[in-house]
Amino acid sequence: QVQLVESGGGLVQAGGSLRLSCVVSGITFSIYTMGWGWYRQAPGKQRELVADITSGGTTNYADSVKGRFTISRDNAKRTVFLQMNSLEPEDTAVYYCNAVRRTVGFDFWGQGTQVTVSS
């Protein structure tokens, strides 16, 4: 049974930092072939891509987080991270981890972790 477990969310003041983690278990293929993404959904808004990282390590960021957030992966730990610095109230949302390997039709989501940034 595939599971994605996120952690690291919480309440922080504007200008602060948080580090989100997401660990995968139960996959039957190599972790090295999998891509990861972090998405977020604020109240009343659509879910949006924050950052993603390919199996080869190429990263991509939403314009709103460039220079503040960093996505990284540790294949040995089967984990993806999202380092969030200089947080703003507009970053308040539920953050979701996504794991994909489209060649085999694998697309799995975590349960989400709340990030709240106070002004």
Side-chain angles (χ1 to χ4, degrees):
Q1 182 180 356
V2 176
Q3 282 191 313
L4 291 181
V5 179
E6 297 133 332
S7 60
L11 173 64
V12 64
Q13 288 188 329
S17 298
L18 284 174
R19 190 192 196 204
L20 305 183
S21 301
C22 176
V23 60
V24 65
S25 62
I27 59 172
T28 58
F29 50 84
S30 171
I31 190 75
Y32 294 87
T33 64
M34 201 172 74
W36 297 89
W38 283 100
Y39 292 73
R40 67 187 181 188
Q41 188 166 18
K45 295 187 177 181
Q46 289 189 329
R47 189 173 298 189
E48 63 175 359
L49 175 68
V50 176
D52 59 23
I53 183 166
T54 68
S55 57
T58 301
T59 58
N60 173 57
Y61 296 92
D63 288 343
S64 59
V65 307
K66 282 181 181 176
R68 299 189 298 123
F69 291 10
T70 302
I71 188 171
S72 61
R73 59 190 293 165
D74 185 332
N75 290 326
K77 295 182 178 179
R78 307 167 75 84
T79 301
V80 65
F81 303 98
L82 185 68
Q83 178 66 44
M84 305 186 293
N85 299 328
S86 302
L87 282 161
E88 303 168 352
E90 293 74 22
D91 296 317
T92 295
V94 177
Y95 284 70
Y96 296 91
C97 174
N98 175 241
V100 296
R101 187 185 174 194
R102 291 191 172 85
T103 55
V104 297
F106 178 81
D107 188 345
F108 205 83
W109 293 85
Q111 79 286 356
T113 185
Q114 177 70 46
V115 171
T116 303
V117 184
S118 63
S119 57

